[in-house]
Amino acid sequence: MAEDFYQVLDRDLMLMLQQIFSGVTAENAGRFHFSPPYDASHGDLACNAAMMLAKSEDVAAMVLAETIAEHLRNWSAFAEVSVVKPGFINARLKVSFLTAELARILSDPDYFSHCDVGAGKRVNIEYVSANPTGPLHVGHARGAVFGDALSVLLTRTGYDVTREYYINDVGVQVDVLARSAHGRYLEALGDKTQTFDAPLYSGEYLIPVGGALAARFGTTYQNVPESEYLAPIREYTIAAMIKIIRSDLQALGVVQDVFTSERALVESGAVEQTLTYMQEHNLVYRGVLEPPRGKTPEDWEPREQLLFRSSDFGDDIDRPLIKSDGTWSYFTPDITYHRDKFARNFDWLINIFGADHIGYVKRLKAAAAAFSEVPLDILCCQIVRFIKNGAPVRMSKRQGTFITLRELIAAVGKDVVRLHLLGRKNDAHMDFDLELMRQQSLDNPVFYIQYAHARCHSAISHAKAEFSILPEVTAEELAAKLITAADHRLLCKLAEYSGMLRRAGSALEVHRIALYLRELAKELHGFWSQGKDQAELRVVVRDDALLTAARCQLLCGVKQVLADGLGLLGVTAVDELR
RNA sequence: GCACCCGUAGCUCAGCUGGAUAGAGCAUUGCCCUCCGAAGGCAAAGGCCGCAGGUUCGAAUCCUGUCGGGUGCGCCA
């Protein structure tokens, strides 16, 4: 398993501390690490070990820091090690150590995929799973891009990822869909009296489905009772909706591998099997629930149901599986579905939920815990407020005022949608200002990062034009040439990338990639601008071909890291801005 | 009433699993294009990190309470 830049340093630190201090073991050593200090004037790296050890060793942190620093001074990686007041150990890296990392970025074909914290474990990530009753709308966008980017990130950090969509193709919603489609079908056959009020779906997207149904079935279902037309119309229409949804996802750059049908699961008898299993394992009982506190419904009456002992597994109350009328609750097939996922031998399940399903998390985790040791993580994406003309857009399905995903992409572009939604923690509330995002203003980080990438490209091309032949640069020359403070900062920033990815992966925090890219872009822009005042800080230095070649290597590294990070987020890296 | 999420600069948000003087972008105010792309850079200003306790060498970060905002919660799906 290959280690990244910071892992190597931290591992060596741990080994060294174990040699010096008897109290340091493999277990607690993970707390000691190097990290980039927030203030660059402190150096390239800060180490927290002395302060962490002060108590267990019963020695003043400053004394320990001096001891540790003395050892660190022997490391080949460091040019300078110093100790500062509370007990920080600050270190400055040798340029050769940083340029060696740059060389790996440029020459190692596996550099961007060598992280193996996942160790090939099989993880299933379920996301979107919107009801197949129509095109996706903006409410689905965040979960879609987050699930997609998380899948890419976990793949990159060594997991074997399956991306899954669960199709809720059973129940009232899809029956309503079928009735609506049937109305459009009659319309297509010439009946102009059809209406599509309240419970029916009035969206225009069903009109072509009606036409297709007419072409497919002719007049077969024109004058037959619902019991005859419902199933075939429903099947056809759901397939049409899935097709629309998949194409919506594709427009966002989101791909999923497995589409699991609830109906197929139900028809296989898996739900009954699950109920039998739960009965055999004493996970259910017949009982009556208390009315919900503080908000007792007027028509509440206690009725006996089949309940899952979910409160034994961390839920607040037990949950109904079979309702008093003898039918399953929504939860029952869903439990079955997760049991099916467990049966497919994943090592880890992740569900991406919208904020409107937060209340569902505990019971599902309870069900998972009752069935398997395999961990289930449920990540919720908070509501995105869409702002138009300075005011939040009120969206209502009934009034047809919700913005579709297609409209959003058409308005601002896929890259803007993705980077903006991926730029914040998934569980943070956020705004999406449609005007700002359309303006391509500085509020929009896509252009800032793409601009940095384009500048790298531009400078490298310029260097190639200026010097017909750029000299080869040896490792020694690279280290000897990239010695200014500006070079140094860029090199340090590049070296952070691999460790940042590893941490983002283990924290399931995709937004860190976006933050990092912004930081790297900022360093690049700063680097660039210094060349305006001082010609020797430019990429192209006319009287120094070797320096120019070295700087080109540096910018190649920046360009590659920017492109890789943007690629992880599904955002296009461009060589030129319009 | 209960559960989950969020309260950090005027606004939108970071803060790397407990570290140094809490950071970015936008907006405001000043600079920097005869010079690799100014869609950029530099600088100024802006803060009781909602509030109150606790844990410890050390808290925006962890715990408890509390107040505000959001989302959800019934035998709906």
Side-chain angles (χ1 to χ4, degrees):
Chain A
M1 165 172 152
E3 291 174 308
D4 62 54
F5 187 83
Y6 275 88
Q7 273 177 315
V8 171
L9 289 167
D10 288 349
R11 192 237 306 135
D12 288 350
L13 175 69
M14 180 190 78
L15 294 173
M16 188 192 83
L17 292 174
Q18 280 180 304
Q19 278 194 319
I20 310 175
F21 306 104
S22 56
V24 177
T25 63
E27 285 79 59
N28 64 22
R31 301 155 63 217
F32 312 116
H33 56 255
F34 290 102
S35 56
Y38 78 92
D39 186 342
S41 69
H42 291 130
D44 302 331
L45 296 171
C47 177
N48 64 347
M51 290 176 295
M52 303 289 281
L53 279 165
K55 183 144 200 191
S56 61
E57 296 295 320
D58 198 25
V59 179
M62 285 298 282
V63 177
L64 286 176
E66 203 45 66
T67 308
I68 295 167
E70 209 42 56
H71 284 80
L72 290 177
R73 289 190 180 103
N74 296 325
W75 286 25
S76 61
F78 297 133
E80 191 188 328
V81 179
S82 58
V83 170
V84 187
K85 43 175 188 183
F88 285 101
I89 305 163
N90 293 326
R92 194 168 171 74
L93 288 160
K94 275 186 189 159
V95 176
S96 58
F97 194 73
L98 287 166
T99 51
E101 185 72 1
L102 172 62
R104 275 190 287 277
I105 290 172
L106 293 173
S107 62
D108 182 352
D110 297 327
Y111 183 84
F112 291 108
S113 56
H114 71 336
C115 180
D116 193 30
V117 290
K121 280 188 194 147
R122 300 184 68 228
V123 52
N124 179 292
I125 307 184
E126 184 209 327
Y127 53 104
V128 190
S129 298
N131 285 343
T133 54
L136 296 179
H137 56 82
V138 289
H140 300 115
R142 193 176 193 180
V145 295
F146 179 67
D148 182 68
L150 185 63
S151 300
V152 173
L153 177 59
L154 290 187
T155 301
R156 176 64 70 81
T157 51
Y159 290 92
D160 177 5
V161 178
T162 297
R163 305 135 175 251
E164 183 146 338
Y165 186 117
Y166 180 51
I167 309 171
N168 289 110
D169 50 2
V170 177
V172 177
Q173 307 284 3
V174 287
D175 287 350
V176 172
L177 174 76
R179 285 185 205 109
S180 311
H182 186 253
R184 294 297 184 186
Y185 158 76
L186 296 178
E187 226 173 38
L189 291 175
D191 180 350
K192 299 301 176 197
T193 65
Q194 292 297 316
T195 56
F196 299 90
D197 295 332
L200 291 178
Y201 293 99
S202 58
E204 291 182 3
Y205 58 90
L206 284 177
I207 294 172
V209 175
L213 284 166
R216 170 81 171 76
F217 295 115
T219 57
T220 309
Y221 299 115
Q222 193 170 21
N223 293 305
V224 299
E226 183 178 300
S227 58
E228 269 181 60
Y229 79 69
L230 197 68
I233 298 283
R234 186 176 56 204
E235 185 185 355
Y236 186 95
T237 308
I238 288 171
M241 294 304 104
I242 292 295
K243 203 171 167 187
I244 291 174
I245 288 169
R246 290 185 80 148
S247 109
D248 286 351
L249 288 170
Q250 198 179 6
L252 241 198
V254 174
V255 182
Q256 280 155 295
D257 315 309
V258 178
F259 285 70
T260 299
S261 156
E262 177 182 1
R263 187 169 294 276
L265 212 56
V266 168
E267 287 173 356
S268 75
V271 182
E272 287 85 353
Q273 288 167 25
T274 298
L275 285 168
T276 303
Y277 174 91
M278 293 180 85
Q279 264 144 9
E280 285 169 354
H281 290 76
N282 194 29
L283 294 169
V284 295
Y285 65 100
R286 299 205 66 82
V288 178
L289 283 177
E290 296 286 309
R293 241 168 247 165
K295 199 186 159 189
T296 309
E298 285 154 27
D299 58 346
W300 177 269
E301 47 182 297
R303 285 183 187 159
E304 195 182 67
Q305 309 168 78
L306 187 73
L307 299 170
F308 165 42
R309 298 182 191 280
S310 49
S311 59
D312 288 354
F313 299 92
D315 199 0
D316 302 316
I317 57 168
D318 294 335
R319 304 288 177 178
L321 295 180
I322 299 181
K323 300 181 282 187
S324 57
D325 65 359
T327 62
W328 299 325
S329 74
Y330 173 82
F331 192 31
T332 315
D334 221 16
I335 290 179
T336 307
Y337 168 52
H338 281 81
R339 194 159 167 255
D340 177 73
K341 282 201 267 191
F342 286 127
R344 283 185 268 151
N345 286 320
F346 292 105
D347 300 303
W348 186 14
L349 301 186
I350 298 175
N351 288 7
I352 314 293
F353 278 8
D356 53 344
H357 287 86
I358 282 174
Y360 200 61
V361 169
K362 276 194 177 179
R363 76 190 69 171
L364 199 54
K365 292 191 83 150
F371 280 118
S372 174
E373 300 287 311
V374 171
L376 167 69
D377 279 303
I378 301 180
L379 308 176
C380 292
C381 288
Q382 266 301 345
I383 297 288
V384 179
R385 262 193 337 168
F386 284 83
I387 309 288
K388 202 172 184 178
N389 303 322
V393 183
R394 298 220 173 277
M395 283 185 251
S396 142
K397 268 195 177 179
R398 189 169 293 173
Q399 293 166 16
T401 52
F402 65 96
I403 306 171
T404 66
L405 186 53
R406 286 286 186 175
E407 289 166 341
L408 179 65
I409 295 170
V412 301
K414 176 204 73 163
D415 288 338
V416 172
V417 173
R418 290 192 62 116
L419 191 66
H420 192 68
L421 293 178
L422 293 173
R424 311 246 206 291
K425 262 202 305 264
N426 58 287
D427 55 4
H429 298 84
M430 68 184 289
D431 286 352
F432 196 117
D433 190 314
L434 293 162
E435 266 74 37
L436 283 181
M437 292 303 117
R438 215 182 335 238
Q439 277 170 15
Q440 305 192 350
S441 75
L442 302 179
D443 260 327
N444 185 342
V446 171
F447 298 95
Y448 188 81
I449 298 168
Q450 285 182 334
Y451 185 31
H453 185 268
R455 274 184 154 172
C456 291
H457 177 82
S458 166
I460 293 161
S461 324
H462 191 264
K464 282 177 183 163
E466 198 74 23
F467 294 89
S468 50
I469 303 164
L470 274 176
E472 293 286 321
V473 189
T474 66
E476 290 74 22
E477 288 165 340
L478 202 56
K481 284 294 182 182
L482 298 179
I483 53 172
T484 68
D487 294 322
H488 200 84
R489 276 201 304 277
L490 261 186
L491 285 168
C492 283
K493 204 71 203 167
L494 287 178
E496 281 180 35
Y497 185 63
S498 52
M500 180 281 299
L501 281 186
R502 168 171 49 82
R503 287 190 178 124
S506 58
L508 306 178
E509 292 188 351
V510 173
H511 73 284
R512 290 194 203 182
I513 300 171
L515 291 174
Y516 171 86
L517 291 176
R518 209 186 156 81
E519 288 167 10
L520 178 58
K522 185 177 173 57
E523 288 293 348
L524 187 276
H525 289 310
F527 174 89
W528 182 281
S529 297
Q530 286 193 37
K532 296 213 166 287
D533 301 326
Q534 296 165 268
E536 70 275 14
L537 293 179
R538 286 188 204 171
V539 176
V540 179
V541 183
R542 290 204 167 74
D543 56 356
D544 194 338
L546 198 58
L547 177 57
T548 301
R551 291 254 163 85
C552 279
Q553 301 262 300
L554 178 58
L555 261 65
C556 273
V558 175
K559 189 173 178 235
Q560 282 196 28
V561 169
L562 286 173
D564 186 71
L566 286 172
L568 282 172
L569 299 178
V571 177
T572 318
V574 297
D575 285 339
E576 285 180 19
L577 298 176
R578 292 185 292 105

